[in-house]
Amino acid sequence: MSSTWHILGAGSLGSLWACRLAQAGKAVRLVLRDPQRLQAYQRAGGLTLVHNGQAQRHAIPAETADASTPIHRLLVACKAYDAPKAVARLAPRLVHNAELILLQNGLGSQDDVANQVPHARCVFASSTEGAFREADWQVNFAGHGFNWLGDPANPVPPDWLDDLADAAIPHQWTPDILTRLWRKLALNCAINPLTVLHDCRNGGLAEHHCEVATLCAELAELLHCCGQPQAAEGLQQEVERVIHATAANYSSMYQDVLHGRRTEIHYLLGHACRVASRHGRPQAHLERLYRRLVEHLNARGLPSD
Ligand code: NAP
């Protein structure tokens, strides 16, 4: 098995992983969107990672999806709404038993990706690390966090976890990755849409205690319904803890809307509402929140899918 890390999407998180793996001496190749992006990358001379005020450039080789070398291991670092199509383009290059690591937030896109590549192993990730793009090909490592990794179809850990340890990428393999992803999704649903609709920092939600509590109760019911009771445990307390601990922050969805960027709503609140309906248990307040958010996005000319 080739040990090269192909990285699809050199945005915030993809660049953060690529630079750390390259720095640890691992073979890394970026897969960029199209020949124009490849040319722009080549002109920049590599990816720059800024950490603690120090910038370091890494001249990581790059290609487009049209290259012909086989892919054994692929880190998918696109947004959830781009991932299935981007992976479909690479499907002919994936060897039998190729492994994909899916970094997407929310739920739904992982299954869409897996359906594109039935012969590959798909490892799901839930990341609390924070990175943002300062400019094209330049990423700032903002928030230390953690990466949970797991494969709902196979509890055996892959052998490349050693590469992550060598690259000081904090991680742990878990058989309960879906529980982690559902819990993160529920926290997001209880906080992010309300910060957009109330135009406030996370801490501003302390004034909307009842609304938050109602959403948490519905989210907990949904989690029980879809076989994730552990993800429901102490949900409201954790939501309140996060609101308090991150009171001065603007949520990621708030920032996306502020900057006119497409959100991942379809894979967060949208997914929660779809699953609730599928179980014949639509949740009135979640549904209403979703409708208000879609209207809010559409009024700003932003997609809601
Ligand atoms: P991002 O900065 O927008 O990067 C996404 C990258 O994907 C962009 O560079 C984009 O290319 C590229 N891309 C899209 N379609 C492509 C294609 N067909 N071929 C090649 N590249 C393609 O997004 P991000 O913030 O890294 O987020 C990625 C995922 O990680 C999201 O699901 C997010 O929720 C999750 N996440 C992010 C963070 C974080 O701190 N950033 C933390 C936890 C989880 P262009 O540059 O050409 O547009």
Side-chain angles (χ1 to χ4, degrees):
M1 245 297 177
S2 155
S3 58
T4 298
W5 286 83
H6 280 85
I7 300 201
L8 179 58
S12 309
L13 223 47
S15 300
L16 177 62
W17 280 62
C19 290
R20 290 182 295 186
L21 287 163
Q23 202 158 15
K26 310 298 170 192
V28 180
R29 290 190 77 79
L30 304 173
V31 183
L32 304 180
R33 192 188 279 276
D34 54 35
Q36 289 74 29
R37 294 296 280 155
L38 181 57
Q39 263 176 19
Y41 173 75
Q42 280 160 349
R43 276 196 302 274
L47 285 180
T48 300
L49 180 64
V50 182
H51 188 205
N52 291 334
Q54 304 272 353
Q56 196 166 4
R57 188 151 76 189
H58 302 269
I60 297 169
E63 61 195 32
T64 64
D66 296 331
S68 55
T69 43
I71 295 176
H72 295 256
R73 187 183 304 146
L74 181 68
L75 181 77
V76 181
C78 308
K79 287 284 172 70
Y81 46 76
D82 281 327
K85 243 200 206 154
V87 167
R89 277 195 68 199
L90 287 180
R93 291 177 57 192
L94 295 176
V95 299
H96 195 77
N97 293 332
E99 292 178 294
L100 276 65
I101 300 103
L102 311 180
L103 288 179
Q104 287 61 49
N105 208 355
L107 278 161
S109 73
Q110 297 87 348
D111 289 341
D112 293 347
V113 167
N115 288 337
Q116 304 289 337
V117 289
H119 301 300
R121 181 183 195 191
C122 287
V123 168
F124 298 7
S126 177
S127 177
T128 60
E129 292 196 291
F132 64 91
R133 278 198 265 191
E134 290 189 330
D136 262 358
W137 325 118
Q138 177 158 328
V139 65
N140 194 310
F141 185 8
H144 287 274
F146 202 75
N147 298 285
W148 295 96
L149 299 161
D151 175 353
N154 177 358
V156 178
D159 54 10
W160 43 259
L161 293 182
D162 290 346
D163 278 9
L164 304 190
D166 294 346
I169 296 175
H171 68 280
Q172 190 170 320
W173 183 257
T174 171
D176 297 323
I177 190 65
L178 287 178
T179 305
R180 298 258 166 207
L181 284 162
W182 267 112
R183 177 69 164 205
K184 194 165 179 234
L185 183 150
L187 286 165
N188 183 298
C189 289
I191 297 175
N192 293 26
L194 286 181
T195 63
V196 173
L197 295 172
H198 290 302
D199 190 14
C200 67
R201 296 173 198 260
N202 290 356
L205 297 186
E207 285 168 33
H208 301 277
H209 176 81
C210 287
E211 208 175 359
V212 171
T214 307
L215 291 175
C216 287
E218 289 196 352
L219 286 161
E221 190 181 331
L222 165 65
L223 292 168
H224 279 280
C225 244
C226 60
Q228 293 294 338
Q230 254 185 300
E233 270 172 34
L235 179 64
Q236 189 183 336
Q237 287 89 323
E238 192 178 352
V239 166
E240 280 167 7
R241 190 189 59 72
V242 170
I243 287 173
H244 186 70
T246 63
N249 298 358
Y250 286 109
S251 74
S252 54
M253 193 178 274
Y254 182 99
Q255 294 182 45
D256 282 343
V257 176
L258 181 72
H259 294 112
R261 292 189 297 248
R262 183 173 177 180
T263 68
E264 294 180 299
I265 170 187
H266 185 78
Y267 303 91
L268 295 159
L269 185 54
H271 185 79
C273 290
R274 281 192 301 280
V275 172
S277 293
R278 214 181 296 148
H279 283 278
R281 302 280 284 276
Q283 302 289 329
H285 292 87
L286 283 173
E287 288 283 346
R288 186 162 164 272
L289 182 68
Y290 186 39
R291 277 198 305 275
R292 284 167 65 205
L293 190 58
V294 165
E295 277 166 22
H296 186 93
L297 296 176
N298 291 345
R300 277 151 192 78
L302 291 173
S304 51
D305 59 349

